[in-house]
Amino acid sequence: MASPAPQNPPNAPARRDAVATQAALIQAAISEFSRNGFAGARVDEIARTAGVNKQLVYHYFNSKQGLYLVALESVYSEIREKEKQLSLEALEPLEAMSQLVAFSFDYLAEHPEFIALLTDENRNRASHILESNVLRKMHSPFIDMLDATLKQGVTRGVFRGDIDALNLYISIAGISYFFFSNNHTLSAIFGKSLGSRAALAQRRRHVIEFALNALRP
């Protein structure tokens, strides 16, 4: 006699629905907050986009601020995970640094919502990040990789020995972030479409070479 087929726990579908609902709300929240900032975003619109009842926002996240924090944690977590996936140990220092800089540029190019959320959170003086233990403890592996690459480059005589990894991290992020966060105004002022594919490729090459030149002895 055949054994009965295994049955899912009675609450398994409910758990799956809850996970899916929360994921949909987080994605809708990222979109809404990146467009309108924390102050201008509407919970009604987030719920509508996610296709759920507005009360579920408060059920899962307690408040608009709670949902905003989870949205911030989500976008930061994604970039940190991608940073961890960079395998640079086997590369020569110059190539490893080139890839690190390229990653920083490419990620911002592909994730305008990350730029928008960071801009809004800076406008709010990082008030939400300061309330999140998760975000304050989310150390960037990027700095560790920079430090290791710098030390290897110094040992091999291709990098200067007076570069601080944290300051380099800020510089690399800054020269890419400014380009994307101010792309529309820069394009208008200089009368050039800096968001075109050709302009992005040119800027990417410049950023990589600029960083490498700054590091050479």
Side-chain angles (χ1 to χ4, degrees):
M1 183 174 180
S3 300
Q7 298 295 315
N8 288 326
N11 59 346
R15 284 201 301 270
R16 286 197 297 271
D17 288 347
V19 170
T21 297
Q22 290 177 64
L25 282 168
I26 292 169
Q27 287 306 308
I30 290 171
S31 178
E32 175 70 5
F33 287 129
S34 65
R35 282 198 308 270
N36 300 306
F38 175 75
R42 293 177 54 83
V43 173
D44 305 71
E45 181 61 20
I46 293 170
R48 187 194 67 77
T49 301
V52 301
N53 188 291
K54 175 182 175 181
Q55 294 308 312
L56 285 177
V57 172
Y58 302 103
H59 173 71
Y60 290 123
F61 305 103
N62 297 319
S63 63
K64 176 182 176 182
Q65 181 168 336
L67 179 55
Y68 184 72
L69 276 174
V70 173
L72 280 175
E73 290 169 359
S74 177
V75 296
Y76 267 102
S77 177
E78 180 178 340
I79 189 172
R80 295 298 176 250
E81 285 303 313
K82 289 186 180 297
E83 287 173 351
K84 290 176 184 177
Q85 293 168 15
L86 293 172
S87 299
L88 307 173
E89 300 83 1
L91 299 177
E92 291 296 317
L94 284 169
E95 178 59 25
M97 190 62 70
S98 177
Q99 289 204 22
L100 281 169
V101 177
F103 168 82
S104 180
F105 185 90
D106 292 342
Y107 191 87
L108 293 179
E110 295 164 6
H111 295 274
E113 75 283 354
F114 184 68
I115 296 172
L117 287 170
L118 260 63
T119 300
D120 186 58
E121 185 60 5
N122 275 289
R123 188 182 300 119
N124 289 306
R125 297 178 178 270
S127 59
H128 300 94
I129 289 178
L130 290 171
E131 294 180 7
S132 170
N133 289 328
V134 172
L135 286 171
R136 286 189 289 111
K137 293 177 180 177
M138 200 179 287
H139 172 65
S140 172
F142 204 92
I143 296 176
D144 295 331
M145 287 187 285
L146 275 174
D147 190 52
T149 303
L150 280 171
K151 288 176 179 175
Q152 187 181 31
V154 171
T155 299
R156 299 198 181 191
V158 295
F159 292 155
R160 294 163 47 188
D162 60 344
I163 302 294
D164 174 72
L166 177 58
N167 274 319
L168 180 59
Y169 173 84
I170 294 171
S171 296
I172 290 173
I175 56 179
S176 294
Y177 182 89
F178 183 86
F179 176 75
F180 290 109
S181 65
N182 295 275
N183 197 276
H184 294 298
T185 52
L186 290 170
S187 296
I189 289 170
F190 294 110
K192 184 177 180 180
S193 178
L194 296 177
S196 69
R197 182 176 298 180
L200 289 174
Q202 182 184 44
R203 180 64 184 177
R204 187 181 190 271
R205 288 192 299 271
H206 170 79
V207 167
I208 294 170
E209 192 59 30
F210 189 88
L212 294 181
N213 282 335
L215 295 173
R216 291 187 173 100

